Amino acid sequence: MSTNFSDFLHRAGQFSEEEQQILKDEVELCNFPKGKELLPEGNVCSEVYFLIKGAVFQSVTDSEGELHIIDLYVAEDWVLNHQSFTSRKPSNYSIRCYEDCTAYVLSIAAIHRLIATSESFFQLGKILSITADRIQFFDRKHSPDEKYRSILKNRPTLLQCFPQKYIASYLKMTPETLSRVRGRFLVP
């Protein structure tokens, strides 16, 4: 396994040496090409991905062909559709690789096997809350400046990985509004 497995473990929880080995046996390191759909709209999300390299986006296309970004992911992010994964219902969104990606993949079946092995693996549940909390933050009625400030503080890598159009859609604002907001944050 890659040395990034330690990052994966750190983000997944605290596990004994034996539990770490069990977890290593359940995850799969995979490479995905740019454009690969990790979750097609209408499918049930049955895997979580820990992104080692690359960039991924979750989106929906409306009836007029407009792409709406639901979430953006970069290295060391967990990638999944929380609602579909937990409800076991078809996803209203798709998840696609924006760049070539490398990720650890953990299936729902593997998570169930892990939990059956040791209650320590219930910690994996925190993976689910991370993405849900982030999506809810940008869906709330925060000002454009508050949303952009949050990106600058907590996820600045997004600004280097994705075009302004995707960032604006993710922040639930127009590209023009994002340009004005960015201008206010530039140091003269």
Side-chain angles (χ1 to χ4, degrees):
M1 293 263 162
S2 160
T3 57
N4 287 325
F5 192 73
S6 61
D7 293 335
F8 169 82
L9 283 173
H10 173 72
R11 296 285 178 112
Q14 299 295 318
F15 304 104
S16 69
E17 296 257 341
E18 181 182 338
E19 291 165 339
Q20 288 178 34
Q21 187 56 53
I22 293 168
L23 188 54
K24 277 184 187 179
D25 293 341
E26 290 289 352
V27 300
E28 184 179 355
L29 184 62
C30 296
N31 293 304
F32 302 103
K34 177 180 179 172
K36 168 72 175 166
E37 204 167 25
L38 301 177
L39 176 65
E41 182 179 341
N43 286 13
V44 175
C45 183
S46 295
E47 297 175 321
V48 295
Y49 304 85
F50 180 75
L51 204 54
I52 300 297
K53 179 183 86 123
V56 173
F57 64 98
Q58 186 171 177
S59 65
V60 64
T61 303
D62 66 22
S63 60
E64 288 141 23
E66 179 93 18
L67 183 72
H68 298 275
I69 301 297
I70 306 305
D71 207 354
L72 299 171
Y73 310 93
V74 293
E76 297 187 18
D77 280 341
W78 289 100
V79 179
L80 77 149
N81 179 294
H82 176 268
Q83 185 175 9
S84 175
F85 191 85
T86 57
S87 71
R88 309 307 308 140
K89 292 184 178 169
S91 172
N92 294 325
Y93 312 119
S94 67
I95 299 176
R96 185 179 302 272
C97 295
Y98 183 73
E99 302 174 341
D100 291 342
C101 295
T102 302
Y104 285 112
V105 182
L106 191 58
S107 70
I108 193 165
I111 291 172
H112 288 163
R113 284 191 299 272
L114 290 166
I115 291 170
T117 304
S118 170
E119 288 186 9
S120 292
F121 291 112
F122 276 113
Q123 296 175 69
L124 293 170
K126 75 179 183 178
I127 296 167
L128 304 176
S129 64
I130 294 168
T131 58
D133 292 346
R134 188 171 56 232
I135 290 169
Q136 287 176 359
F137 177 84
F138 292 115
D139 283 346
R140 290 193 197 116
K141 297 293 179 195
H142 293 286
S143 74
D145 285 11
E146 289 170 322
K147 292 176 181 182
Y148 191 72
R149 185 178 296 111
S150 176
I151 291 289
L152 286 174
K153 180 181 177 191
N154 302 309
R155 307 190 73 218
T157 309
L158 295 180
L159 301 173
Q160 286 109 36
C161 293
F162 293 99
Q164 184 167 319
K165 178 180 174 182
Y166 280 41
I167 300 291
S169 179
Y170 175 55
L171 297 177
K172 313 296 186 260
M173 63 180 78
T174 66
E176 295 78 18
T177 298
L178 178 57
S179 285
R180 286 191 298 276
V181 169
R182 287 176 71 179
R184 289 194 289 270
F185 282 85
L186 293 176
V187 177

